[in-house]
Amino acid sequence: MGMVCLSDFEAYAKKYLPKIAWDFFASGADDCSTRDENILAYKRIRFRPRMLRDVSMMDIRTKLLGTEISFPVGIAPTGFHQLAWPDGEKSTARAAKAMNTCYIASTYSTCTLEEISAAAPGGLRWFQLYIHRNRAVSQQLVQRAEALGFQGLVLTADLPYTGKRRDDVRNGFRLPPHMKLKNLEGAFEVCKMSLLDPSVTWNDIYWLRSLTHLPIIIKGILTKEDAELAVRHGVQGIIVSNHGGRQLDGGPATIDALVEVAAAVQGRVEVYLDGGIRKGSDVLKALALGAKCVFIGRPALWGLAYKGEEGLQEVLRILQDEFRLSMALAGCASVSEIGPHLVQFSKL
Amino acid sequence: MGMVCLSDFEAYAKKYLPKIAWDFFASGADDCSTRDENILAYKRIRFRPRMLRDVSMMDIRTKLLGTEISFPVGIAPTGFHQLAWPDGEKSTARAAKAMNTCYIASTYSTCTLEEISAAAPGGLRWFQLYIHRNRAVSQQLVQRAEALGFQGLVLTADLPYTGKRRDDVRNGFRLPPHMKLKNLEGAFEVCKMSLLDPSVTWNDIYWLRSLTHLPIIIKGILTKEDAELAVRHGVQGIIVSNHGGRQLDGGPATIDALVEVAAAVQGRVEVYLDGGIRKGSDVLKALALGAKCVFIGRPALWGLAYKGEEGLQEVLRILQDEFRLSMALAGCASVSEIGPHLVQFSKL
Amino acid sequence: MGMVCLSDFEAYAKKYLPKIAWDFFASGADDCSTRDENILAYKRIRFRPRMLRDVSMMDIRTKLLGTEISFPVGIAPTGFHQLAWPDGEKSTARAAKAMNTCYIASTYSTCTLEEISAAAPGGLRWFQLYIHRNRAVSQQLVQRAEALGFQGLVLTADLPYTGKRRDDVRNGFRLPPHMKLKNLEGAFEVCKMSLLDPSVTWNDIYWLRSLTHLPIIIKGILTKEDAELAVRHGVQGIIVSNHGGRQLDGGPATIDALVEVAAAVQGRVEVYLDGGIRKGSDVLKALALGAKCVFIGRPALWGLAYKGEEGLQEVLRILQDEFRLSMALAGCASVSEIGPHLVQFSKL
Amino acid sequence: MGMVCLSDFEAYAKKYLPKIAWDFFASGADDCSTRDENILAYKRIRFRPRMLRDVSMMDIRTKLLGTEISFPVGIAPTGFHQLAWPDGEKSTARAAKAMNTCYIASTYSTCTLEEISAAAPGGLRWFQLYIHRNRAVSQQLVQRAEALGFQGLVLTADLPYTGKRRDDVRNGFRLPPHMKLKNLEGAFEVCKMSLLDPSVTWNDIYWLRSLTHLPIIIKGILTKEDAELAVRHGVQGIIVSNHGGRQLDGGPATIDALVEVAAAVQGRVEVYLDGGIRKGSDVLKALALGAKCVFIGRPALWGLAYKGEEGLQEVLRILQDEFRLSMALAGCASVSEIGPHLVQFSKL
């Protein structure tokens, strides 16, 4: 079975994953309109490709907060990788390292941070944090991550409560008994996400700042107002994200929100994006509209479901090849040549 | 059978109601384009959700003309509840009271106003009025309602004649013999709605005013011109409504008309909306665009059809939970924080 | 079988007419996109209905060039009515007279003008003219029509050649041997429409003017430039028409073109429309946007196919009832109250 | 089997060609969205047809760089015609000559330039060039073409690398062993297109200029910036093209890009278009928006697949008849009367 594009991995995962796991990964909130918009919005953006530029030497590398990665696609934080593949986040870490890109490990990993670190020593990793009501739990996680060499701290801002994903409710979704949220074990019983703290505010950025020397990246920003607040509160990066359409249904596609956020930020901090990336040309569109890098969520899980770290590497390699080709066909030989002149919003 | 969202109740009602009753409740006028637009229009509105605001204490209460309700969703006036559930409007009244919200009882109820009052003493209720050619009938209804403790009088303005609902014509719809328009019994034979008075004008607001001390709410306004007239004629509230798309097909979705009406009214009277509410986030959009409260029509009937007052309570509880969650995910801890900054109209 | 709306007649005709006749009536040019746009364009127009206006006395009459008709819907010129019903245009004439409206008889009728006149003496009729290469033929037709009491001359401007209707090509469409283009019999062999004159220009209006005292109405105008030319050449009326989408595929829907034409004409001559009228509310939209009257083509043929003159009367009666109801629900008691304030173009 | 419109040929080709050949001709890059947009974009353009203009004498001829052709539709360069019909490009050349139009022969022909020339002596032909890493190969091709009487040199600018056509990857597409890229035989092994030179820039236009007296036409321009560069580098013509949607998926429809390019060029050089032409009215739209001529790619291959040169002639004849009829119905008697006043972009 030859995997040609990311949809092939999606079809595989849908066919071979247990329904409850597929549904958990696939579902969006309510009517899934934001989840679907994330993808549809790319189709309304048209390239303005330039011809007869020397694209014989292609350089698709970029830097995340100063650290070089092989191309501007990283792994977004998603939970429960063991639902997709027995080795779980260890496989994810190995694939990301092999492809020389960044992996954002989730608080809700089914492997410990220590296992993740040991699986792929020296890989570029950031740690994604939910702030718990019991702040000591969060503090300890941050400090463990820093000690283990994680190089960034990603604060998820859009989950004061969990979105309503109808399929999960219908399925009565919960982790199988042999899987654990290992990073939270011992701290408390964490099956219920209601232990997250819905009273978190911008001031908690200062608290986080006091805990760690790691750069802080805020994830879940969709408006210029919040982008401005993020910059003012001293974050180093912003991930434009709607949590894959799993939180507030009816929010904007991330590629649409990116335009507003990038215009507000004006290069003061790095801006990234996740949501709806399915082809190399989607990456190119996101970069043209102001993203320094994008992160993939569900496609990474499909890759894991297909063949673990090997499958995820294949997903990344396909995206890399497609991105390089799209760049060349648009007339860009390096990411520094990508800019807003490359795209326009279609009337339809 | 777990009911997760309002569509589940719709599917149930479609399956278990007699076709003639389902058709009566479901049908819109002509091609049903306005009925369908009521729902589609919400999908063109995008949230601009705000992050990192303290949403640990959620307050979703609001007030209708000074009276507190538990959340900004009431029961719109619809006729013939016994078609959905044997206890008819008595069940509706009980559910509304149990959920601490407002129920607008229809002139075309299959229970008397007295039965409705007795079923749920002390509940917040308004009475919906059609003006009949025989004004004495209407006068008597208004005064009965006031005497029974109804707290508002809702004048329906968009039914000088009944819209053309093709399915009802094909089905030869009429009430089964064991059901009656009980509030009109004895007054005259009322099977034909043609006894309604199509000569009603704005001046009749003054006539109504002379009959009762109740606040007058006008239902069916869709333009700024009529909103201005309503305010000038001294109404206390306006329900932006197209009668669920059952009257003039081709009119605007109510959520679209709300923008125009709210801009004209400028807060001088309260503005409400019915039509197309299917999720808690729809309620949030309506409030963001200027509604003080929304009312549900068909979803209430689906709830009744499912399990009478218990089913309707379940519908309301789901909407309440979804509304609270949407508010929180949009960054609002109380309804006073909801405003037009929360939404934008999408280009598509 | 109860006929509730015009679609019911369409379904009947599609089921019971010979395929070759159905295809001939139904087909549009090329991809049929203009034919379909004629209908879709109405769905993009939204009413702005006004409430609480006295609509107890409805007056839906209008005047065509000074002659009163019962409501603003006439019969557009279409050919070959015997394909739909044995009595052909005689039935059409009777139905139009019975409903007190205007029938535009086509050059390509399968009954003679004399038969049409005799079938419904005193009915309001206009005669539709194609100009033939042999001008004597056209002159004779015009003068016969005038002598028979036809009250208007409708010059079709959009058929220098016949549009490409794929189904007719596939079917090898031609009239069955027992039907004739009776008005042209004896003059010449007319099976081929190529006898029409593609060199006709605006100056031929002057020639027509010299032949007859009848008012001249020009049919097929879609631009402001041609509307201006029509007025300057002294016509009494303009029918905005794209020949039911049967000529140039890709032209505008007539309801869209009406806006441009009405703005150019500024009331100097009467403006009418045909194309896409399927409901009473479509008529109301056309009048709101500047049409004095509309004409129905295919729906008239469906009515004939159903039950001859009786079927066509039923079509007209349904349209009349729907139009009256739409007017009332929009707050208009007479056609003089209809205006552009009643509608807006939707964003979608 | 009567062929009425180009879709009939498409259906035939899809049914009778080997799947691998059909897929190769049909496929676009990635999601095929640009391929499909090429067609959809025409549907958003509306004619503004003019009436009562003398269209009895129709003149549909035009000139390509001074050479008259029978109507403004030529054959775009496409590869591997033997996949469609045994005689391959020889049949194409014969059909183009018979219809008195221009055929652009591809570098990737399965017949030699000499065979093509001999098949239809005196026909108007241009030669399409890919520039190879080994410039001597390209030089020799250009000089052979010129010597053989080809009258134009078409440089393809949009293929520094081959686009990702998923079906070709899945099918493992390659030419059957009995077919050869005959023009490149002996020069080197050319199964791999990677021998194309991705370092080509605008300066290579000067190099080409130095090799030949032929006019140079550049193919693949989609932006005003590149159009300006093309003019400044001295080309004689520009073909607005996205390679049938086979290169960068997400680029604009060519009919949309034409507007931008024609506005930039301002008549300084001739502008042509390929992509999405399926009807005579599409040709008319392209000319109205500034194209001097259009070229057909896939439809020519369908014609070949149907009946070789005879089939391709039939395709061209149908387009010619449709184009002439569309012109007449739009009120144009010669191509010089076609202009931007004939069209408008629809709101939908």
Side-chain angles (χ1 to χ4, degrees):
Chain A
M1 172 168 200
M3 304 309 258
V4 173
C5 59
L6 269 54
S7 308
D8 293 340
F9 293 85
E10 183 178 18
Y12 182 96
K14 185 165 189 179
K15 188 166 171 189
Y16 289 102
L17 281 181
K19 177 176 160 40
I20 199 170
W22 167 260
D23 281 352
F24 173 74
F25 292 143
S27 63
D30 293 341
D31 289 333
C32 302
S33 60
T34 293
R35 178 194 68 177
D36 296 341
E37 264 292 292
N38 273 351
I39 290 172
L40 290 171
Y42 285 101
K43 301 191 189 298
R44 295 193 290 264
I45 299 170
R46 295 262 170 281
F47 286 116
R48 303 184 70 253
R50 302 298 304 277
M51 302 300 146
L52 297 189
R53 295 155 78 106
D54 181 347
V55 289
S56 55
M57 307 290 287
M58 297 296 301
D59 182 356
I60 63 173
R61 294 168 300 168
T62 192
K63 285 184 178 169
L64 282 186
L65 299 176
T67 303
E68 186 177 298
I69 54 177
S70 65
F71 78 123
V73 176
I75 311 292
T78 52
F80 312 158
H81 290 193
Q82 284 187 355
L83 282 177
W85 189 255
D87 263 10
E89 289 80 3
K90 288 184 283 186
S91 291
T92 315
R94 287 186 204 116
K97 183 180 172 198
M99 291 299 292
N100 190 21
T101 190
C102 179
Y103 162 36
I104 309 178
S106 166
T107 291
Y108 290 130
S109 295
T110 43
C111 301
T112 62
L113 297 183
E114 289 75 10
E115 290 170 321
I116 292 169
S117 285
L124 173 61
R125 279 181 290 276
W126 293 350
F127 173 64
Q128 175 272 333
L129 183 76
Y130 290 116
I131 298 183
H132 287 78
R133 292 179 196 260
N134 179 343
R135 296 290 169 105
V137 174
S138 298
Q139 175 172 355
Q140 182 246 21
L141 278 170
V142 169
Q143 291 169 346
R144 265 167 78 196
E146 185 167 6
L148 285 164
F150 283 75
Q151 298 181 32
L153 182 65
V154 176
L155 175 66
T156 296
D158 61 3
L159 202 137
Y161 303 95
T162 303
K164 179 173 180 178
R165 302 154 201 169
R166 294 176 185 169
D167 283 345
D168 287 351
V169 180
R170 290 187 214 286
N171 293 336
F173 174 76
R174 47 177 306 151
L175 275 187
H178 60 286
M179 296 185 201
K180 302 273 181 246
L181 296 185
K182 285 200 173 170
N183 288 302
L184 298 167
E185 265 188 318
F188 43 64
E189 174 53 58
V190 292
C191 287
K192 299 202 179 134
M193 291 192 188
S194 61
L195 295 173
L196 298 185
D197 187 351
S199 77
V200 174
T201 66
W202 289 100
N203 285 330
D204 291 290
I205 304 275
Y206 300 131
W207 169 71
L208 277 182
R209 181 76 295 149
S210 74
L211 299 182
T212 178
H213 298 292
L214 292 180
I216 296 174
I217 299 100
I218 188 160
K219 172 172 175 283
I221 299 305
L222 293 167
T223 60
K224 57 176 185 253
E225 294 90 336
D226 280 348
E228 183 61 37
L229 284 170
V231 173
R232 285 208 216 141
H233 284 81
V235 305
Q236 275 69 45
I238 291 173
I239 306 183
V240 175
S241 171
N242 51 32
H243 218 110
R246 296 160 77 82
Q247 289 295 100
L248 180 63
D249 196 36
T254 49
I255 191 71
D256 287 336
L258 173 64
V259 176
E260 172 175 337
V261 168
V265 166
Q266 292 282 351
R268 290 175 289 170
V269 302
E270 295 192 353
V271 176
Y272 319 114
L273 166 148
D274 68 22
I277 297 287
R278 297 293 179 269
K279 297 182 296 179
S281 60
D282 297 336
V283 183
L284 181 57
K285 287 174 182 176
L287 265 67
L289 291 168
K292 179 85 175 177
C293 179
V294 304
F295 294 90
I296 55 170
R298 294 182 183 94
L301 296 161
W302 305 333
L304 286 177
Y306 175 54
K307 279 193 188 172
E309 61 214 63
E310 204 180 317
L312 176 47
Q313 277 188 59
E314 206 166 328
V315 162
L316 288 166
R317 205 173 300 116
I318 285 174
L319 268 180
Q320 202 176 66
D321 290 344
E322 290 181 348
F323 174 63
R324 185 190 297 108
L325 180 57
S326 294
M327 269 181 63
L329 296 181
C332 300
S334 81
V335 293
S336 65
E337 297 174 28
I338 301 170
H341 56 277
L342 273 190
V343 291
Q344 60 189 340
F345 282 83
S346 97
K347 280 155 282 183
L348 257 231
Chain B
M1 171 167 201
M3 304 310 257
V4 173
C5 59
L6 269 53
S7 307
D8 293 340
F9 293 85
E10 182 178 18
Y12 183 96
K14 185 165 188 178
K15 189 165 171 190
Y16 289 102
L17 281 180
K19 176 177 161 37
I20 199 170
W22 167 260
D23 281 352
F24 173 75
F25 292 144
S27 63
D30 293 343
D31 289 332
C32 301
S33 60
T34 294
R35 178 195 69 179
D36 296 341
E37 265 293 291
N38 273 351
I39 290 172
L40 290 170
Y42 285 100
K43 301 191 189 299
R44 294 193 291 263
I45 299 170
R46 295 264 170 280
F47 285 116
R48 304 185 68 253
R50 302 298 305 275
M51 302 300 146
L52 296 190
R53 296 155 78 105
D54 180 348
V55 289
S56 55
M57 308 290 287
M58 297 295 301
D59 182 357
I60 62 173
R61 293 168 302 168
T62 192
K63 286 184 177 169
L64 281 186
L65 299 177
T67 304
E68 186 177 296
I69 54 177
S70 64
F71 79 123
V73 176
I75 312 292
T78 52
F80 311 157
H81 290 194
Q82 285 187 354
L83 283 177
W85 189 255
D87 263 10
E89 289 79 5
K90 288 184 285 185
S91 292
T92 314
R94 288 185 201 114
K97 185 183 172 197
M99 292 297 293
N100 190 22
T101 190
C102 178
Y103 163 36
I104 309 179
S106 166
T107 291
Y108 290 131
S109 295
T110 43
C111 300
T112 62
L113 297 183
E114 289 74 12
E115 290 169 321
I116 291 170
S117 285
L124 173 62
R125 279 182 291 275
W126 293 351
F127 173 64
Q128 175 273 332
L129 182 76
Y130 289 117
I131 299 183
H132 287 77
R133 292 178 196 260
N134 180 342
R135 296 291 168 102
V137 173
S138 298
Q139 175 173 355
Q140 181 248 21
L141 279 170
V142 168
Q143 291 170 345
R144 266 166 76 195
E146 184 167 8
L148 286 163
F150 283 76
Q151 297 182 31
L153 182 65
V154 176
L155 175 67
T156 295
D158 61 2
L159 202 137
Y161 302 96
T162 304
K164 179 173 180 178
R165 302 153 202 170
R166 294 175 186 170
D167 283 345
D168 288 351
V169 180
R170 290 187 215 286
N171 293 335
F173 174 76
R174 46 178 306 151
L175 275 187
H178 62 284
M179 297 185 201
K180 302 274 181 246
L181 297 185
K182 284 200 174 170
N183 287 303
L184 298 166
E185 265 188 319
F188 43 63
E189 174 52 60
V190 290
C191 289
K192 297 200 180 136
M193 291 192 189
S194 60
L195 295 173
L196 298 186
D197 186 352
S199 77
V200 173
T201 67
W202 290 101
N203 285 330
D204 291 290
I205 304 275
Y206 300 131
W207 169 71
L208 277 182
R209 183 73 298 149
S210 75
L211 300 182
T212 178
H213 298 292
L214 292 179
I216 295 173
I217 299 100
I218 188 161
K219 173 171 174 282
I221 300 304
L222 293 167
T223 60
K224 58 175 184 252
E225 294 91 336
D226 280 347
E228 183 62 36
L229 285 170
V231 173
R232 284 209 216 141
H233 283 81
V235 303
Q236 275 69 46
I238 291 171
I239 305 184
V240 175
S241 171
N242 51 33
H243 217 110
R246 297 160 76 82
Q247 290 293 101
L248 180 62
D249 196 36
T254 50
I255 191 70
D256 288 335
L258 173 65
V259 175
E260 173 175 336
V261 168
V265 166
Q266 291 282 352
R268 289 175 289 169
V269 302
E270 294 192 353
V271 175
Y272 319 113
L273 167 149
D274 67 23
I277 297 288
R278 297 294 180 267
K279 298 184 295 179
S281 60
D282 297 336
V283 183
L284 181 57
K285 287 174 181 177
L287 265 65
L289 291 168
K292 179 85 176 175
C293 179
V294 304
F295 294 89
I296 55 169
R298 293 184 183 93
L301 296 162
W302 306 334
L304 287 177
Y306 176 54
K307 277 192 188 172
E309 62 213 64
E310 206 180 314
L312 175 49
Q313 277 188 60
E314 205 166 328
V315 162
L316 288 166
R317 205 173 299 116
I318 286 175
L319 268 180
Q320 200 175 68
D321 290 344
E322 289 181 348
F323 173 64
R324 186 189 296 108
L325 180 57
S326 295
M327 269 180 63
L329 297 181
C332 300
S334 80
V335 294
S336 65
E337 296 174 28
I338 301 170
H341 57 277
L342 272 191
V343 291
Q344 60 188 343
F345 282 82
S346 97
K347 278 155 284 183
L348 257 232
Chain C
M1 169 166 202
M3 304 310 259
V4 173
C5 59
L6 268 54
S7 307
D8 293 340
F9 293 85
E10 183 178 18
Y12 182 96
K14 185 165 190 178
K15 188 165 171 191
Y16 290 102
L17 280 181
K19 175 175 161 40
I20 199 171
W22 167 259
D23 282 351
F24 173 74
F25 292 144
S27 62
D30 293 342
D31 289 333
C32 302
S33 61
T34 294
R35 178 194 69 180
D36 296 342
E37 265 292 291
N38 272 352
I39 290 172
L40 291 170
Y42 285 99
K43 301 192 188 299
R44 295 193 291 264
I45 299 169
R46 296 264 170 279
F47 286 115
R48 304 185 68 253
R50 303 297 305 276
M51 302 299 146
L52 297 189
R53 296 156 78 105
D54 180 347
V55 288
S56 55
M57 306 291 287
M58 297 296 300
D59 182 356
I60 62 173
R61 294 169 300 166
T62 192
K63 284 184 177 170
L64 281 186
L65 299 176
T67 304
E68 186 177 298
I69 54 177
S70 65
F71 78 122
V73 177
I75 311 292
T78 52
F80 311 158
H81 290 194
Q82 285 188 354
L83 283 177
W85 189 255
D87 263 11
E89 289 80 3
K90 289 183 284 185
S91 292
T92 315
R94 287 185 202 115
K97 184 182 173 195
M99 291 299 292
N100 189 21
T101 190
C102 179
Y103 161 37
I104 309 179
S106 165
T107 292
Y108 290 130
S109 295
T110 43
C111 300
T112 62
L113 297 183
E114 289 74 12
E115 289 170 322
I116 292 170
S117 285
L124 173 61
R125 279 182 290 276
W126 292 352
F127 174 64
Q128 175 273 333
L129 183 76
Y130 290 117
I131 298 183
H132 287 77
R133 292 180 197 258
N134 180 344
R135 297 291 169 102
V137 173
S138 298
Q139 174 172 356
Q140 182 249 17
L141 278 171
V142 169
Q143 291 170 344
R144 265 167 77 195
E146 184 166 6
L148 286 164
F150 282 76
Q151 297 182 31
L153 182 65
V154 175
L155 176 66
T156 295
D158 60 4
L159 203 136
Y161 302 96
T162 304
K164 180 174 180 179
R165 302 153 200 170
R166 293 176 185 169
D167 283 346
D168 287 350
V169 180
R170 291 188 215 284
N171 293 335
F173 174 77
R174 47 178 305 152
L175 275 187
H178 61 286
M179 296 185 202
K180 303 272 181 249
L181 296 185
K182 283 199 172 170
N183 287 303
L184 298 167
E185 265 188 320
F188 43 64
E189 175 52 58
V190 291
C191 289
K192 299 201 182 136
M193 290 192 188
S194 60
L195 295 173
L196 298 186
D197 186 350
S199 77
V200 174
T201 66
W202 290 101
N203 284 330
D204 290 290
I205 304 275
Y206 300 132
W207 170 71
L208 277 183
R209 183 75 295 150
S210 74
L211 300 181
T212 177
H213 298 292
L214 292 179
I216 295 174
I217 299 100
I218 188 162
K219 173 171 175 281
I221 299 304
L222 293 167
T223 60
K224 59 177 184 252
E225 294 91 335
D226 281 347
E228 183 62 37
L229 284 170
V231 173
R232 284 209 217 142
H233 284 81
V235 304
Q236 276 70 46
I238 291 172
I239 305 183
V240 175
S241 171
N242 51 32
H243 217 108
R246 297 160 76 82
Q247 289 294 102
L248 179 63
D249 197 35
T254 50
I255 191 71
D256 288 335
L258 173 64
V259 176
E260 172 174 337
V261 168
V265 166
Q266 292 282 351
R268 290 176 288 169
V269 303
E270 294 191 353
V271 175
Y272 319 113
L273 167 149
D274 67 24
I277 297 288
R278 297 293 180 269
K279 298 184 294 180
S281 60
D282 297 336
V283 183
L284 182 56
K285 288 175 181 176
L287 265 65
L289 290 168
K292 178 85 176 176
C293 178
V294 303
F295 294 90
I296 54 169
R298 294 182 183 94
L301 295 162
W302 305 334
L304 286 177
Y306 176 55
K307 277 193 188 170
E309 61 213 65
E310 206 180 314
L312 175 49
Q313 277 188 59
E314 205 167 329
V315 162
L316 287 166
R317 206 173 298 115
I318 286 174
L319 268 180
Q320 200 176 68
D321 290 344
E322 289 181 348
F323 173 64
R324 187 189 296 107
L325 180 57
S326 295
M327 270 181 62
L329 297 181
C332 300
S334 80
V335 295
S336 64
E337 296 173 28
I338 300 171
H341 57 277
L342 272 191
V343 291
Q344 60 190 342
F345 282 82
S346 97
K347 279 155 282 183
L348 259 231
Chain D
M1 172 169 201
M3 304 309 257
V4 173
C5 59
L6 270 53
S7 308
D8 293 339
F9 294 84
E10 183 177 20
Y12 183 96
K14 185 165 189 179
K15 188 166 171 189
Y16 289 102
L17 281 181
K19 176 176 160 40
I20 199 170
W22 166 260
D23 281 353
F24 173 75
F25 292 144
S27 62
D30 292 342
D31 289 333
C32 301
S33 61
T34 294
R35 178 195 68 178
D36 296 342
E37 265 292 291
N38 273 352
I39 291 172
L40 291 170
Y42 285 100
K43 302 192 188 299
R44 296 193 290 264
I45 299 170
R46 295 262 170 282
F47 286 115
R48 304 185 69 252
R50 303 297 306 276
M51 302 299 146
L52 297 188
R53 295 155 78 106
D54 180 347
V55 289
S56 55
M57 307 290 287
M58 297 296 300
D59 182 356
I60 62 173
R61 293 169 301 167
T62 192
K63 285 183 178 171
L64 281 186
L65 299 176
T67 304
E68 186 177 297
I69 53 177
S70 65
F71 78 122
V73 176
I75 311 293
T78 52
F80 312 157
H81 290 194
Q82 285 188 355
L83 283 176
W85 188 256
D87 263 10
E89 289 80 4
K90 288 183 284 184
S91 291
T92 315
R94 286 184 204 117
K97 183 180 172 197
M99 292 298 293
N100 190 22
T101 189
C102 179
Y103 162 37
I104 309 179
S106 166
T107 291
Y108 290 130
S109 294
T110 43
C111 301
T112 62
L113 297 182
E114 289 73 12
E115 289 169 322
I116 292 169
S117 285
L124 174 62
R125 281 182 289 275
W126 292 351
F127 174 63
Q128 175 272 332
L129 182 77
Y130 290 118
I131 298 184
H132 287 77
R133 293 179 195 260
N134 180 343
R135 297 291 168 103
V137 173
S138 299
Q139 174 172 356
Q140 181 249 19
L141 279 171
V142 169
Q143 292 169 344
R144 265 168 77 196
E146 185 167 7
L148 286 163
F150 282 75
Q151 297 182 30
L153 182 65
V154 175
L155 175 67
T156 296
D158 61 3
L159 202 136
Y161 303 96
T162 303
K164 180 174 179 178
R165 303 154 199 168
R166 294 175 185 170
D167 283 344
D168 288 350
V169 181
R170 290 188 214 285
N171 293 336
F173 174 77
R174 47 178 304 153
L175 275 187
H178 61 286
M179 296 184 202
K180 303 271 180 250
L181 297 184
K182 284 199 173 171
N183 287 303
L184 298 166
E185 265 188 317
F188 43 65
E189 174 53 56
V190 292
C191 287
K192 299 202 181 136
M193 291 191 188
S194 60
L195 295 173
L196 298 186
D197 187 351
S199 76
V200 174
T201 66
W202 290 100
N203 285 330
D204 290 290
I205 304 275
Y206 300 132
W207 169 71
L208 278 183
R209 183 75 296 151
S210 73
L211 300 181
T212 177
H213 298 292
L214 292 179
I216 295 174
I217 300 99
I218 189 161
K219 173 171 175 281
I221 300 304
L222 293 167
T223 61
K224 59 176 183 253
E225 295 90 336
D226 281 347
E228 183 62 37
L229 284 170
V231 173
R232 284 209 218 140
H233 283 81
V235 304
Q236 276 69 46
I238 291 172
I239 305 182
V240 175
S241 171
N242 51 32
H243 218 109
R246 297 159 77 82
Q247 289 294 101
L248 179 63
D249 196 36
T254 50
I255 191 71
D256 288 335
L258 173 64
V259 176
E260 173 174 337
V261 169
V265 166
Q266 291 283 349
R268 289 175 289 169
V269 302
E270 295 191 353
V271 176
Y272 320 113
L273 167 149
D274 69 23
I277 297 288
R278 297 294 179 268
K279 297 183 297 180
S281 60
D282 297 336
V283 183
L284 182 57
K285 288 175 181 177
L287 265 67
L289 291 167
K292 178 84 176 177
C293 179
V294 304
F295 294 89
I296 55 170
R298 293 182 183 95
L301 296 162
W302 305 334
L304 287 177
Y306 176 55
K307 277 191 187 172
E309 61 213 65
E310 206 181 316
L312 175 48
Q313 276 188 61
E314 205 165 328
V315 162
L316 287 166
R317 207 174 297 117
I318 286 173
L319 268 180
Q320 200 176 68
D321 290 344
E322 289 180 349
F323 174 63
R324 186 189 297 109
L325 179 57
S326 295
M327 271 182 62
L329 296 182
C332 300
S334 80
V335 294
S336 64
E337 297 174 28
I338 301 171
H341 57 278
L342 272 191
V343 291
Q344 59 189 341
F345 283 82
S346 98
K347 279 155 282 184
L348 258 232

